[in-house]
Amino acid sequence: MAVLPIKFTKTKRDRLAQVLWVLNWISVVTGIILFILGIFLKVEINKRQDLMAERQLQSVPNMLIAVGLIACMINFLGGKICYDCVDTNKFLRWKLVMLPYIICTFFFTLSVLVGALMCYSMHGQLEEALTVGLRDAMRYYKDTDTPGRCFLKRTVDLLQIQFQCCGNKGYRDWFQIQWVSNRYLDMSQREVVDRLRSNVEGKYLMDGVPFSCCNVNSPRPCIQYQITNNSAHFNYDYQTEELNLWMRGCHQALLDYYTNIMHSIGLTVLIIWLFELSVLTGVRYLQTSLENVLRQGDPECESDGWLLENSFVETARSNFNIIKHLGKFNQISSNGDPNIDKPSTAHYGPDNVPLKPLPTAS
Amino acid sequence: MVVGKMKLTFQKRVKLAQYLWMLSWFATLGGAVTFTLGCFLKTELRRRGEVMDNTDIHCVPNTLMIVGLASMGINYFASRICQDALDPGRFPRWKTFLKPFFGCSVFFTTLMLISVILSYAMKGSLETSLKIGLKNGIRFYKDTDTPGRCFQKQTIDRLQMEFQCCGNSNYRDWFEVQWISNRYLDFSSKEVKDRIKSNVDGRYLIDGVPFSCCNPSSPRPCIQYRITNNTAHYNYEHQTEELNLFIRGCREALVYYYMGLMNTIGAVVLSVFLLQCSVLASVRLLQTSMEAVAGQENVEVDSEGYLLEKGVKETFMEYVDPVLKLLWMNQVTPPEAKAEAGAS
């Protein structure tokens, strides 16, 4: 009993082949879209590489790029096959290739689904990479003379300006690290020496933030030093002041940004996966209906197309048996070999008595 | 005296019509590109409209948009004309249309050339407009509580950060303006009172700049107050320090940006102009060569085509005379002519 059989007349078959040809070309375009999305994601992650610790973040864009390229090739081949399927003679060329092609494409669509799900699962790894990366970037902010870290200050400043954020979780993160390099501290001044001594590790900590934390929308000139000291500034109360600095932490800002990108890409890939699946179903129907035409012999007749010839369970059982027997090629099966344990039919002379072994001369 | 005479065989006419058809579609695309570039330039100018004093510079994108639309129309008709040109039955219906068509086309093509020249010539006007606009922006920076000027601070801050510039000509422009509002000055403090008294207009002037002048590429934390005081900061000399603040003035930065934009657009429009000229010349040649064989039995003979029947000056007068007559008709005729007409 076939799964979801549909009857196809000759005109229906031809129209199906033509529609599938167009759909396969559209799928080539969607494959290119997948490729471009993968490259876009790769570029976005590389842009902020300095702020992310080493994690397996490159696997998702690489997967998308590979899947996009393979989709292009598979659908290009599919388009060619469907184009030839209108003519029964040309179909004979592709007859043997079609079933393996459909099986390959089915497994490929599974990988597209995996790619889409990976986009959503990257969230956890991203969060971890950002936490560690941002913390280190802020710690090395002052090291503009250390090779390998010279541009971290610029990167963090531009990040805070562009994403309108300050610090890791908030602006208070800057109070806990020394972000002013010792090169610019006057060690002969009493105030500096006091601050250094009051701290266990000898760090110069202050309640100030870099200029990139300043909020552009503030009505007053930016207050970036002595932030928690209300009396240092006229008409200022730091607990109620919200417009002076950026309130959001850069961790949250970056996470939101990348999560948005990942969700959009994931949704697009899911839609592409559904499209590919429908094209695959169409190709399967076309293949089965054309094979039935060949079986019946008359190219103009009606034929049935289906997804599976027998029911799902039976097909699974027969495939399983095939796979089981594939493994037994090298074994000698006693049931199968006709030459073992059969009584001999040789003629040993008129008595039909087998020869006895001759006694040896002593 | 005929200008641009050329002998055209039948085969040449056919080939000319075919190439012209394709060329006119490319020229239509060129016209669409010109229109898009005009829109883009207008949008960019309006984005920074708050730091510009007048809108004189907007004549360039406006002209580009008009010329783009006109060019699309001209080239569309050119393609229709050349489609009908080889068919002696359909060509005569274009006869009355052709003279005004050529007049308009030449006018709009010259306008295209003028717009390119304008984009280079308006540099001075743009610079003056920016100078005044930025001066006002810096002056009203502190007025975040005055309606109509609340967003000047935001505009100037964003401008300085985006274009990596500080002040009008350089950062010293901020020293001459009070950019801290009186709302945030403690008038009971001696230092504030001294500063205000030392100034003729009673303004609070400091040698400091807003935070948006700070250069992120600087290796040290930004020094934005007491910039000219070397002793106020450790290991600092303001005359040799180049990375602390943005050195460039915002006027120079904006002029550079807009001139770059207009140079690119000018180059593209110039190539569209050349394309359009060739289309018009080809249509003219095709038209005149087809008119030479009009009415004849055998259309496949050789014919001569030309660009202008008379000289340039005479053709120009021929076109301008009807327009002038239209203008003179509304005027009162002079009394001597009336008396003469009356006498005769």
Side-chain angles (χ1 to χ4, degrees):
Chain A
M1 194 215 56
V3 176
L4 296 178
I6 299 182
K7 246 186 171 22
F8 282 104
T9 58
K10 170 113 174 78
T11 41
K12 251 187 155 186
R13 274 200 302 272
D14 288 346
R15 190 140 357 117
L16 181 66
Q18 283 165 350
V19 165
L20 281 177
W21 177 70
V22 171
L23 286 182
N24 267 307
W25 276 107
I26 295 178
S27 291
V28 172
V29 171
T30 59
I32 294 176
I33 291 176
L34 270 180
F35 178 73
I36 291 175
L37 283 177
I39 291 199
F40 169 71
L41 191 59
K42 204 173 173 70
V43 164
E44 280 294 312
I45 290 180
N46 280 349
K47 262 196 324 193
R48 319 246 170 239
Q49 223 171 17
D50 299 330
L51 303 167
M52 294 197 222
E54 264 306 306
R55 291 288 182 274
Q56 292 303 318
L57 290 171
Q58 291 290 349
S59 58
V60 178
N62 288 342
M63 173 94 176
L64 284 178
I65 290 173
V67 160
L69 281 175
I70 297 177
C72 278
M73 293 192 298
I74 283 186
N75 287 309
F76 182 70
L77 182 64
K80 235 180 136 10
I81 292 177
C82 291
Y83 187 70
D84 285 345
C85 279
V86 181
D87 186 0
T88 333
N89 292 330
K90 286 208 199 142
F91 171 66
L92 289 168
R93 265 201 302 181
W94 295 108
K95 192 163 160 327
L96 291 172
V97 180
M98 262 190 111
L99 191 57
Y101 168 78
I102 288 177
I103 295 174
C104 277
T105 314
F106 179 70
F107 284 116
F108 170 71
T109 48
L110 280 182
S111 65
V112 173
L113 183 65
V114 164
L117 293 175
M118 271 172 83
C119 285
Y120 288 102
S121 68
M122 211 174 99
H123 183 93
Q125 283 180 324
L126 193 62
E127 186 159 357
E128 212 183 299
L130 278 176
T131 310
V132 177
L134 277 174
R135 196 190 65 210
D136 287 342
M138 280 170 59
R139 237 193 305 159
Y140 305 139
Y141 182 85
K142 64 179 185 343
D143 296 336
T144 45
D145 54 347
T146 313
R149 296 182 198 160
C150 328
F151 294 111
L152 224 40
K153 177 183 178 296
R154 185 165 178 266
T155 310
V156 172
D157 279 335
L158 289 175
L159 173 78
Q160 295 191 143
I161 292 174
Q162 188 189 342
F163 282 84
Q164 300 186 341
C165 60
C166 188
N168 207 337
K169 303 278 193 281
Y171 64 83
R172 287 173 186 274
D173 296 326
W174 288 108
F175 298 174
Q176 293 157 1
I177 57 165
Q178 177 183 353
W179 55 273
V180 182
S181 175
N182 283 337
R183 306 199 303 286
Y184 308 117
L185 289 173
D186 188 2
M187 299 297 180
S188 61
Q189 269 197 2
R190 214 188 115 84
E191 189 237 335
V192 175
V193 173
D194 278 346
R195 259 193 205 273
L196 284 171
R197 263 201 234 136
S198 70
N199 182 269
V200 174
E201 295 155 29
K203 289 195 284 186
Y204 184 82
L205 303 179
M206 49 177 192
D207 56 346
V209 293
F211 77 94
S212 41
C213 279
C214 288
N215 190 343
V216 175
N217 303 321
S218 167
R220 78 183 290 167
C222 183
I223 292 168
Q224 43 168 145
Y225 295 108
Q226 292 172 306
I227 294 173
T228 48
N229 186 357
N230 281 349
S231 48
H233 315 278
F234 184 67
N235 195 8
Y236 173 69
D237 183 5
Y238 84 93
Q239 270 130 347
T240 52
E241 186 70 50
E242 276 183 355
L243 281 176
N244 183 37
L245 303 173
W246 301 120
M247 284 293 144
R248 203 162 60 148
C250 288
H251 183 258
Q252 189 59 40
L254 276 175
L255 201 64
D256 285 344
Y257 174 70
Y258 277 115
T259 309
N260 277 342
I261 292 181
M262 300 303 283
H263 281 182
S264 320
I265 292 182
L267 191 66
T268 314
V269 176
L270 270 179
I271 292 174
I272 291 178
W273 172 69
L274 285 172
F275 186 68
E276 292 264 347
L277 211 58
S278 56
V279 171
L280 183 65
T281 318
V283 173
R284 173 66 174 165
Y285 271 119
L286 188 66
Q287 180 230 351
T288 45
S289 63
L290 281 173
E291 284 196 345
N292 282 332
V293 163
L294 284 178
R295 235 182 262 175
Q296 292 175 17
D298 176 18
E300 304 285 326
C301 70
E302 259 187 23
S303 68
D304 274 338
W306 51 60
L307 286 177
L308 292 171
E309 189 162 359
N310 308 311
S311 74
F312 196 60
V313 178
E314 276 182 41
T315 320
R317 207 181 292 159
S318 61
N319 283 337
F320 192 58
N321 282 335
I322 292 173
I323 296 173
K324 233 178 17 173
H325 281 148
L326 269 177
K328 289 194 180 168
F329 260 138
N330 295 334
Q331 279 186 21
I332 303 173
S333 71
S334 45
N335 296 338
D337 195 330
N339 291 331
I340 297 182
D341 282 350
K342 263 216 172 120
S344 166
T345 48
H347 234 65
Y348 292 108
D351 303 329
N352 206 15
V353 175
L355 283 165
K356 272 207 206 99
L358 287 166
T360 47
S362 46
Chain B
M1 191 216 53
V2 186
V3 176
K5 203 147 104 164
M6 217 157 91
K7 213 168 181 57
L8 291 170
T9 60
F10 177 68
Q11 282 306 319
K12 263 195 177 176
R13 280 205 299 276
V14 169
K15 211 164 266 176
L16 179 66
Q18 283 170 341
Y19 281 139
L20 181 59
W21 184 78
M22 215 157 65
L23 211 62
S24 65
W25 278 112
F26 277 128
T28 315
L29 210 65
V33 165
T34 311
F35 178 73
T36 321
L37 286 176
C39 288
F40 171 69
L41 187 60
K42 198 167 175 75
T43 321
E44 280 295 305
L45 283 171
R46 284 186 66 160
R47 262 175 78 185
R48 310 281 166 203
E50 286 160 341
V51 292
M52 290 192 209
D53 184 48
N54 55 38
T55 53
D56 284 349
I57 189 72
H58 282 249
C59 70
V60 175
N62 290 344
T63 319
L64 278 178
M65 291 202 287
I66 293 172
V67 163
L69 284 174
S71 160
M72 287 205 292
I74 289 171
N75 291 308
Y76 170 72
F77 280 117
S79 75
R80 293 296 301 276
I81 288 173
C82 78
Q83 252 183 344
D84 288 346
L86 292 172
D87 185 353
R90 303 233 300 253
F91 192 59
R93 69 180 175 163
W94 291 105
K95 246 179 144 45
T96 45
F97 177 71
L98 279 168
K99 194 158 170 190
F101 170 74
F102 277 118
C104 282
S105 318
V106 170
F107 171 68
F108 280 112
T109 316
T110 0
L111 200 61
M112 200 184 265
L113 190 64
I114 289 175
S115 74
V116 174
I117 296 172
L118 262 182
S119 72
Y120 292 104
M122 295 291 284
K123 179 176 172 181
S125 158
L126 178 68
E127 196 155 352
T128 320
S129 164
L130 279 173
K131 189 172 186 172
I132 301 174
L134 279 170
K135 196 169 90 166
N136 287 338
I138 290 174
R139 229 180 340 141
F140 302 142
Y141 184 85
K142 66 179 184 341
D143 297 334
T144 45
D145 54 347
T146 313
R149 297 184 199 159
C150 324
F151 295 111
Q152 285 285 23
K153 179 181 179 293
Q154 221 187 90
T155 311
I156 297 283
D157 278 336
R158 282 191 209 272
L159 181 78
Q160 293 191 144
M161 288 203 287
E162 197 176 315
F163 283 84
Q164 299 189 334
C165 60
C166 188
N168 206 336
S169 320
N170 54 37
Y171 64 84
R172 289 174 186 274
D173 297 321
W174 289 105
F175 298 174
E176 297 155 18
V177 161
Q178 178 182 351
W179 54 273
I180 301 179
S181 175
N182 285 336
R183 304 198 305 284
Y184 309 115
L185 290 173
D186 185 7
F187 284 100
S188 58
S189 143
K190 185 165 154 19
E191 189 237 335
V192 173
K193 276 197 279 205
D194 280 345
R195 261 195 203 271
I196 290 183
K197 261 192 231 150
S198 71
N199 183 268
V200 174
D201 305 320
R203 291 183 293 169
Y204 183 78
L205 302 179
I206 49 172
D207 55 345
V209 294
F211 76 93
S212 43
C213 281
C214 287
N215 190 350
S217 309
S218 165
R220 80 184 289 171
C222 184
I223 293 168
Q224 42 166 147
Y225 294 108
R226 290 184 287 177
I227 293 172
T228 48
N229 186 354
N230 283 348
T231 48
H233 316 278
Y234 182 65
N235 196 10
Y236 172 70
E237 199 187 311
H238 84 271
Q239 273 122 350
T240 51
E241 186 68 49
E242 276 182 356
L243 280 175
N244 184 37
L245 303 172
F246 294 126
I247 298 290
R248 205 161 62 155
C250 285
R251 188 179 71 233
E252 184 194 331
L254 279 169
V255 167
Y256 182 75
Y257 172 69
Y258 280 119
M259 287 324 286
L261 212 59
M262 287 205 268
N263 282 349
T264 320
I265 291 179
V268 173
V269 173
L270 205 60
S271 43
V272 173
F273 164 76
L274 291 172
L275 190 63
Q276 176 129 332
C277 278
S278 57
V279 165
L280 283 178
S282 313
V283 171
R284 177 68 174 164
L285 269 178
L286 195 64
Q287 174 223 353
T288 45
S289 61
M290 285 313 292
E291 279 179 354
V293 291
Q296 287 186 14
E297 277 264 337
N298 182 17
V299 258
E300 302 198 3
V301 293
D302 291 356
S303 70
E304 267 185 6
Y306 49 82
L307 284 177
L308 293 172
E309 198 168 356
K310 314 183 182 99
V312 182
K313 194 162 177 200
E314 288 157 350
T315 324
F316 183 66
M317 292 316 293
E318 211 183 288
Y319 275 91
V320 169
D321 271 344
V323 179
L324 284 180
K325 268 204 197 89
L326 218 63
L327 292 173
W328 287 135
M329 260 176 66
N330 292 336
Q331 279 195 12
V332 177
T333 51
E336 306 90 56
K338 258 199 183 151
E340 266 184 356
S344 60

